Amino acid sequence: TVPGAPTGVSGTPGNTEVSLTWTAPASNGGSAITDYVVEFNNGSTWATFADGTSTTTAAAVIGLTNGTAYTFRISAVNAAGTGATSIVSTAVTPRTVPGAPTGVEGTPGNTEVSLTWTAPVSSGGAAITDYVVESSTNGTSWTTFADGTSTSASATVTGLTNGTSYTFRVSAVNAAGTGAASVVSAGVTPRTVPGAPTGVEGT
């Protein structure tokens, strides 16, 4: 007879893909399993993933849309036909790192620079959870500013040296990792008012 249903279907998200694993059926129906049918659902309809013929209990389902949640189910095949489908997996959302922020600009202050930027056009299919802010005085070596975790498209970089020109770049972070850095900002020089003159005398 046909095989039993596979179990334990789970998925790991990737860039426009989900890597699936499952456990073979407890019963092969009395005939060797010759293939697995992999199906996916984007919330409305089921489609069969064309992965050829394989007896491996894993598959990478490609060609998916980042940011869209998918569920999966698996059926085993033997000489008698296709068995029952597995229990449907929990939803998995393909994703990649975010795009680069744009428009990084700085306003000088006293040993600090107030930065603003525009969020990336693409979040990569997962919510942006943080921004990495870096500064440089030579355009070669970069220092990451420890500003904690924030999704705000602005930051005040403190602890700088007045009179020194700094450039800045910003990267967005999501569950998939850290995206590409923005275009480097124009140079900004922290500053404050002059000190007081001394030795004022009159004749």
Side-chain angles (χ1 to χ4, degrees):
T1 186
V2 295
T7 58
V9 181
S10 63
T12 302
N15 183 14
T16 71
E17 67 178 39
V18 170
S19 296
L20 293 176
T21 59
W22 58 88
T23 301
S27 170
N28 67 4
S31 177
I33 292 173
T34 57
D35 191 22
Y36 286 99
V37 176
V38 178
E39 297 176 280
F40 60 95
N41 190 315
N42 61 4
S44 58
T45 57
W46 286 97
T48 300
F49 177 59
D51 62 341
T53 301
S54 172
T55 58
T56 302
T57 56
V61 182
I62 60 176
L64 305 179
T65 301
N66 287 337
T68 297
Y70 294 86
T71 54
F72 302 87
R73 65 188 185 188
I74 312 292
S75 308
V77 180
N78 67 8
T82 303
T85 60
S86 66
I87 293 173
V88 175
S89 74
T90 56
V92 186
T93 304
R95 64 197 182 201
T96 187
V97 296
T102 57
V104 181
E105 296 183 356
T107 302
N110 183 14
T111 70
E112 66 183 29
V113 169
S114 297
L115 291 177
T116 60
W117 58 86
T118 301
V121 173
S122 171
S123 69
I128 292 173
T129 57
D130 192 21
Y131 287 100
V132 176
V133 177
E134 298 174 282
S135 64
S136 176
T137 57
N138 57 17
T140 303
S141 58
W142 292 89
T143 301
T144 300
F145 177 59
D147 63 341
T149 301
S150 173
T151 58
S152 174
S154 63
T156 299
V157 182
T158 59
L160 304 179
T161 301
N162 287 337
T164 297
S165 178
Y166 294 84
T167 55
F168 301 88
R169 66 185 186 187
V170 180
S171 308
V173 180
N174 69 7
T178 303
S182 66
V183 173
V184 175
S185 74
V188 187
T189 303
R191 63 196 181 204
T192 187
V193 296
T198 58
V200 180
E201 296 181 2
T203 301

